[in-house]
Amino acid sequence: MTHYGFLSTFPPTRCGLATFTESLSAALVRHDDEGTVVRALDQPEERGHQDPRARSRVRTDLIAGDSLSALRATLALNACDVAIVQHEYGIYGGRDGDEVIGVLAALRIPAVVVLHTVLVAPTPHQREVLEEVCRLASVVVVMTIHARDNLAATYAVDLTRVRVIPHGVQHVALRESEPHSGRRVVTWGLLSPGKGIEWGIRAVAQLTDITPDVEYIVAGQTHPKVLAHAGEGYRTMLAGLAGDLGIGSSVRIDGRYLEASQLAALIASADVVLLPYDSLDQATSGVLAEAVAAGVPVVATAFPHAVELLSNGAGIVVPHQDPDATARALREIITSAAVADRMRETALRETNKTTWSAVADRYRTVTARLAAGRAA
């Protein structure tokens, strides 16, 4: 029996790391195993607003700037056999999230740190934080070969402790699809500037000659941190742009946070998933992994995870902020059944290697070795 500890954001928090940790913990903790979640929060949660799902699985919270919560988090994790810690600069307190270093330093158990961002050009302090996080980890997990290579080239990290384990995915290809007419391009995920949706809208505006009509669905709430500081300005700008380009009726910007079944139906209904991200160094994308696992052709800008995952032919990589190239790629897939079918077959061929069950087995192997080494 293994008692796993998890340090991360966690539902009801709505972000990629929360979803990742919920899926990994559900797949990893089975049979006689136990799981303890320590949830990272920006501020304390009011008791009346606590989600029942969180109460049942979260042991305690690590609250930014709260030293007492850091002590509670450390005690909870040290009661486990191994800690699995998600790392992203923005989810922990302190400058560049450096408060997590104190928690890691106080752990008496092995820690597996999962890096969700490996910046190509970090600031000196960002580099210092990541190097110290990796030094304190027993094992460092990255999700792509590119991220491992970037660690080697940019950071002083012991590569013998680095493992590449892909982002897990759900099976969504066989779900009942959302009914619709015409051709459908879909982007989903929390909305924020930098997602490049404006470039996607400009690309779709070049496809008005295609019959049946092409519609563009952008699904997802505005990121909570963006909403708190900038409101719905980005979403409003996108809607205005679609209207200005004369495709307001063809672009639907859905502000709901979709539940798993709703999202699965939307993905299954897509002819193409479009990821027009502005980021030049995004190491991982759960949206990309899920799209490929669903067997849906993908058009994505040339961020590292897309270049790596689509290199076998599951989609088309286009330059950043280039609506003309994006429109050409979308047109190629939408107007050629042979191209789309070839991409679907290529994508589905690799899916079994990245299901959450398969990914959890990889983590289980890593943690078992750590436990054996500790016992010895």
Side-chain angles (χ1 to χ4, degrees), residues 10-91:
F10 198 78
T13 299
R14 290 171 171 174
C15 73
L17 270 71
T19 303
F20 181 99
T21 303
E22 183 181 37
S23 298
L24 177 60
S25 62
L28 192 55
V29 179
R30 64 183 188 184
H31 304 311
D32 295 328
D33 295 327
E34 295 183 49
T36 290
V37 175
V38 176
R39 180 177 52 164
L41 290 176
D42 288 335
Q43 56 191 8
E45 185 180 62
E46 295 181 21
R47 288 190 174 275
H49 293 161
Q50 289 180 340
D51 186 278
R53 182 170 45 164
R55 284 201 301 268
S56 66
R57 301 181 64 179
V58 175
R59 182 69 52 84
T60 190
D61 296 327
L62 174 61
I63 301 166
D66 185 334
S67 58
L68 183 57
S69 78
L71 175 60
R72 288 195 297 263
T74 301
L75 291 172
L77 292 172
N78 274 331
C80 305
D81 296 312
V82 61
I84 299 178
V85 179
Q86 309 304 319
H87 182 264
E88 177 71 81
Y89 291 105
I91 69 169

Side-chain angles (χ1 to χ4, degrees), residues 186-247:
V186 171
T187 300
W188 81 91
L190 292 175
L191 198 62
S192 63
K195 288 298 180 73
I197 307 301
E198 59 270 35
W199 306 108
I201 291 173
R202 292 182 185 280
V204 171
Q206 300 183 36
L207 306 178
T208 55
D209 60 304
I210 294 177
T211 303
D213 293 343
V214 177
E215 62 174 341
Y216 185 25
I217 309 298
V218 180
Q221 287 183 326
T222 296
H223 194 289
K225 292 188 177 182
V226 173
L227 186 62
H229 292 96
E232 293 286 10
Y234 184 59
R235 186 184 303 275
T236 301
M237 182 276 287
L238 295 176
L241 175 63
D244 291 343
L245 294 173
I247 58 168

Side-chain angles (χ1 to χ4, degrees), residues 232-361:
E232 293 286 10
Y234 184 59
R235 186 184 303 275
T236 301
M237 182 276 287
L238 295 176
L241 175 63
D244 291 343
L245 294 173
I247 58 168
S249 62
S250 300
V251 176
R252 175 155 59 94
I253 305 176
D254 187 341
R256 295 175 299 160
Y257 187 90
L258 299 181
E259 297 300 326
S261 60
Q262 295 172 312
L263 180 58
L266 177 64
I267 297 170
S269 75
D271 294 281
V272 186
V273 167
L274 174 60
L275 305 180
Y277 301 162
D278 289 336
S279 174
L280 298 174
D281 58 0
Q282 183 161 346
T284 58
S285 167
V287 173
L288 172 63
E290 290 286 358
V292 172
V296 181
V298 176
V299 173
T301 48
F303 59 92
H305 195 190
V307 172
E308 186 168 321
L309 196 57
L310 302 180
S311 62
N312 62 358
I316 300 174
V317 175
V318 297
H320 288 82
Q321 301 182 356
D322 189 338
D324 295 340
T326 302
R328 288 194 296 270
L330 292 172
R331 184 181 296 275
E332 180 180 357
I333 295 169
I334 289 171
T335 61
S336 174
V339 170
D341 289 345
R342 185 170 64 248
M343 289 180 178
R344 291 179 187 275
E345 292 170 6
T346 299
L348 292 174
R349 200 177 303 130
E350 302 295 319
T351 298
N352 287 336
K353 300 176 184 177
T354 56
T355 62
W356 277 113
S357 176
V359 166
D361 285 342

